[in-house]
Amino acid sequence: MTDTTQTEPNSPARRTTRDLTRAAVSGWLGTAMEFMDFQLYSLAAAIVFNKIFFPDVSPAIGLIAAMATYGVGYVARLAGALYFGRMGDRIGRKKVLFLTILLMGASTTLIGVLPTYGMIGIFAPILLVALRLVQGFGAGAEIAGATVMLAEYAPAKRRGLVSSLVSLGTNSGTLAASGLWAVLLAVLSEEQLVSWGWRLPFLLSFALMLFAVWLRRNLKESPVFEERADVVDGVAMSRAEVATAVAHDTVEEQQQSVLEAGLRQRKGKAFFLSLGLRFGQAGNSGLVQTFLVGYIATTLGADRSVPTDAIVWGSLLGFATVPLIGLLGDRFGRRPLYIALTVLTIVLAFPVMLLIASGSTAGVMAGMIIGLNVGVLGLFSLESVTMAELFGARTRFTQLALAKEIGGILATAIGPVVAATLTAVTGSWWPVAAMLIVYSLITLVSIVLAPKRAGVTWCVWRTPYEVCCRARSR
């Protein structure tokens, strides 16, 4: 079998093409499940959950309560990122990814068999919130873990392309969930949907979970994790144990130098740079995929199908955009691609919003598709691998997970609220364009300050601030 991993000397444990394929499918499928689970829930919360779990309140209050149960999942995500991130750095990526997919899949399936308010009263929404917390807890580390696994598996010259498959999972999951609900709404009556139809998407996810669990059960561990100098019998040594090993000269000279580099590793700057990279993509996503959908329908008076159709078509185009950007990043370096995309987003912010503000179907479609592919999906393709390359292997999972979740919560959760407030106060669309520029500037500054590195040789504690690895600067 042809080996596809690192070809440089002193590379990590070797993996075959089959191993890489299994890891790539696993990463794509896990991310697809994460976004499908959350999209299934968000659509159910908007369509039927207020009638099923909160029937004794007014429709408006019921909708607010249903959306609140949706929101608690994001709180749990941060806790999951911290807990599973540390676990992944300590006992390995494979074991954690197995647990996260199991938690997400099981909680989503169990939502489909929940008793309703009419059956058990107040315990129904309580159980719904509990499952939502479990779902979010697992999802908090899923995309970060999949990113780390693929980045550490992939050959250096194809790391961007392979890692971009994680980004494709977001499109796949969102489209699958939207398609399931579209079919249900088309073929079922209101009574059928409320009585039993809403359960079907959640129950159907069980089959996908079984396949994902089987795939990850047979997945080999990340070669980078296995070759870490501080990993003994599959478990990482604590910092105190590393210090003791170095102090007592209980390791070989080459291994000791790597361990000493790890003890001196600086983490703060890389984390904040990663947070800045995440802020632009997540902020733009919140504006384009969340705020503008409602703004176009309510403020501009366009039919609700226009912005949603634009998101669907933009997501379909993303199946070409994401791998293309990943491939170009491998060819020319991720830094220049990042700069090009952020500058292009800044330049196009006002023209795109002018197209959308025209209110015409063609203008809205064109503006949304451009904004989604340039300012969101293009950056997401680069983000996955670039953030992973900023951290050393000992803390890569934890820091990547926290940077993704903190950046996502700050930008995605707050951005649409700020945009709604500013557009209401000014009575105009220009604050949205200004926010797109600000978010993109944050990412632009972050990538300019980041090290000029691409195609690096991975080693145990490789970071931009250590010299334990060779790199090809671009």
Side-chain angles (χ1 to χ4, degrees):
M1 183 73 68
T2 303
D3 192 295
T4 61
T5 52
Q6 312 281 7
T7 57
E8 297 93 343
N10 302 318
S11 63
R14 299 168 72 84
R15 291 290 184 264
T16 65
T17 302
R18 185 175 182 178
D19 294 329
L20 176 59
T21 301
R22 188 182 292 272
V25 174
S26 169
W28 164 76
L29 189 59
T31 306
M33 274 195 65
E34 174 188 346
F35 277 78
M36 188 179 79
D37 290 349
F38 269 66
Q39 185 72 358
L40 283 177
Y41 190 95
S42 64
L43 291 171
I47 297 169
V48 296
F49 277 1
N50 59 322
K51 303 170 186 176
I52 296 169
F53 293 101
F54 309 98
D56 287 351
V57 296
S58 68
I61 299 299
L63 181 59
I64 292 172
M67 288 298 174
T69 62
Y70 171 73
V72 298
Y74 283 92
V75 177
R77 288 180 70 100
L78 187 56
L82 181 61
Y83 179 80
F84 285 118
R86 288 180 173 177
M87 184 184 292
D89 285 326
R90 184 172 60 85
I91 66 172
R93 289 53 163 128
K94 172 188 172 179
K95 296 174 183 176
V96 168
L97 284 173
F98 180 81
L99 291 174
T100 56
I101 204 78
L102 195 61
L103 282 175
M104 289 192 309
S107 57
T108 300
T109 301
L110 288 174
I111 288 175
V113 298
L114 275 180
T116 64
Y117 187 93
M119 297 175 181
I120 61 171
I122 191 63
F123 289 105
I126 291 175
L127 288 173
L128 180 64
V129 170
L131 289 176
R132 191 66 184 127
L133 288 170
V134 173
Q135 189 186 59
F137 191 63
E142 170 59 37
I143 193 168
T147 296
V148 169
M149 180 66 97
L150 278 188
E152 292 183 346
Y153 244 94
K157 294 182 179 180
R158 288 291 178 265
R159 190 175 294 140
L161 176 61
V162 173
S163 299
S164 72
L165 292 176
V166 173
S167 306
L168 281 183
T170 64
N171 285 16
S172 304
T174 300
L175 289 172
S178 301
L180 281 173
W181 271 105
V183 170
L184 290 178
L185 291 171
V187 303
L188 297 181
S189 65
E190 177 75 10
E191 182 181 353
Q192 290 173 322
L193 190 66
V194 172
S195 62
W196 55 268
W198 67 271
R199 299 182 184 275
L200 294 179
F202 298 99
L203 295 175
L204 288 173
S205 69
F206 181 72
L208 187 60
M209 182 198 73
L210 287 180
F211 177 64
V213 167
W214 171 82
L215 192 65
R216 289 193 173 176
R217 184 179 178 84
N218 294 282
L219 182 66
K220 290 183 180 180
E221 180 56 82
S222 156
V224 172
F225 179 83
E226 284 187 347
E227 291 296 310
R228 275 171 45 181
D230 65 323
V231 171
V232 179
D233 295 328
V235 178
M237 292 187 289
S238 68
R239 192 172 182 84
E241 290 172 330
V242 171
T244 300
V246 171
H248 291 82
D249 297 329
T250 58
V251 291
E252 296 179 3
E253 183 177 348
Q254 182 178 5
Q255 186 181 17
Q256 184 175 8
S257 66
V258 175
L259 292 174
E260 287 177 325
L263 291 175
R264 297 193 302 269
Q265 179 184 328
R266 292 180 288 172
K267 305 174 185 176
K269 183 177 181 181
F271 178 81
F272 285 108
L273 288 174
S274 187
L275 196 63
L277 296 180
R278 174 67 171 154
F279 213 84
Q281 186 275 331
N284 292 346
S285 176
L287 292 176
V288 174
Q289 295 180 274
T290 303
F291 172 74
L292 282 178
V293 172
Y295 179 79
I296 291 167
T298 57
T299 304
L300 300 183
D303 189 278
R304 287 185 179 274
S305 64
V306 175
T308 53
D309 287 348
I311 294 296
V312 170
W313 285 108
S315 297
L316 289 172
L317 181 60
F319 282 100
T321 300
V322 169
L324 176 61
I325 295 297
L327 187 63
L328 291 175
D330 286 329
R331 175 65 180 85
F332 300 105
R334 282 170 273 286
R335 190 169 183 266
L337 260 292
Y338 243 123
I339 293 173
L341 284 176
T342 50
V343 169
L344 190 58
T345 303
I346 291 168
V347 170
L348 292 177
F350 276 90
V352 161
M353 284 307 302
L354 276 171
L355 282 172
I356 293 173
S358 69
S360 69
T361 300
V364 170
M365 293 284 287
M368 292 283 283
I369 290 172
I370 292 171
L372 180 61
N373 278 269
V374 176
V376 180
L377 297 179
L379 291 180
F380 199 13
S381 178
L382 294 170
E383 174 188 294
S384 297
V385 64
T386 306
M387 289 173 67
E389 288 178 335
L390 285 173
F391 302 116
R394 182 170 169 85
T395 59
R396 181 174 290 130
F397 200 147
T398 304
Q399 295 199 77
L400 181 59
L402 288 175
K404 277 187 172 290
E405 294 308 318
I406 292 173
I409 290 172
L410 289 176
T412 308
I414 296 175
V417 177
V418 173
T421 303
L422 292 176
T423 52
V425 170
T426 62
S428 177
W429 52 264
W430 69 260
V432 182
M435 290 180 68
L436 287 170
I437 291 173
V438 170
Y439 283 141
S440 300
L441 278 173
I442 292 173
T443 292
L444 179 60
V445 171
S446 299
I447 196 61
V448 168
L449 294 177
K452 301 178 182 179
R453 300 171 71 90
V456 296
T457 301
W458 294 76
C459 73
V460 175
W461 262 293
R462 191 213 57 79
T463 74
Y465 315 109
E466 302 295 345
V467 294
C468 67
C469 283
R470 304 181 310 279
R472 181 172 64 256
S473 296
R474 287 178 178 173

